[in-house]
Amino acid sequence: MLGWSYMRTGRFPDAANAYGRAAALNPANTDYLSAQGEAMVQAGGGKISPEAQGIFRKVLAAAPADPRARYYLAVFKDQNGDGTGAMEDWIALVKSAPAGAPWGPEIRGFIENLARERGLDIAGRLPPIQADASSPNSPR
């Protein structure tokens, strides 16, 4: 909770430290480690440091489907000149999103905006948008 609170209040270095302590106390919980990496990225103004990259790689070694680590490792690729590889990774991330994943629409929007900015044709590369079953206009 401390790491989460620091993240919400913009105290990113403190959040990274708190998540790092939580990860040290419970090494099996890759969410703590992944959150530590994200806090480090935020503390660095969005730049993926070698230390954050190492954390995300460690997370994926233990939890290959971790969306946060997959997202930020794609950001790392993009920051280092591999925009094509990054886009492939982000598209794969959206395709693998479980139904109702709260981060799915955000990443999808990010991909669509970035493709538009860069003049990339991604038509047909993203899965169809799923209707929200709780919506009053969705079929039941």
Side-chain angles (χ1 to χ4, degrees):
M1 283 303 297
L2 184 59
W4 180 87
S5 296
Y6 283 146
M7 283 292 284
R8 296 299 170 263
T9 58
R11 294 176 58 183
F12 304 122
D14 292 330
N17 288 334
Y19 279 124
R21 284 190 303 251
L25 292 171
N26 187 357
N29 186 329
T30 57
D31 288 340
Y32 294 151
L33 198 56
S34 184
Q36 179 188 16
E38 181 177 34
M40 292 171 73
V41 171
Q42 296 303 318
K47 182 80 174 143
I48 311 293
S49 68
E51 186 179 5
Q53 180 192 17
I55 286 173
F56 293 129
R57 291 197 186 287
K58 185 175 178 182
V59 169
L60 287 187
D66 184 274
R68 183 174 16 217
R70 290 174 62 197
Y71 171 81
Y72 281 112
L73 286 174
V75 170
F76 178 79
K77 280 184 181 181
D78 194 56
Q79 289 177 349
N80 286 280
D82 185 7
T84 301
M87 184 62 75
E88 293 298 323
D89 290 352
W90 288 317
I91 290 172
L93 179 58
V94 168
K95 285 181 174 181
S96 70
W103 50 267
E106 183 178 348
I107 301 302
R108 181 188 190 93
F110 168 77
I111 292 168
E112 291 169 342
N113 289 335
L114 189 61
R116 202 171 17 261
E117 286 174 17
R118 295 182 179 178
L120 302 174
D121 181 9
I122 59 166
R125 300 204 45 218
L126 293 173
I129 297 174
Q130 300 294 318
D132 181 0
S134 65
S135 170
N137 297 326
S138 65
R140 291 196 166 83

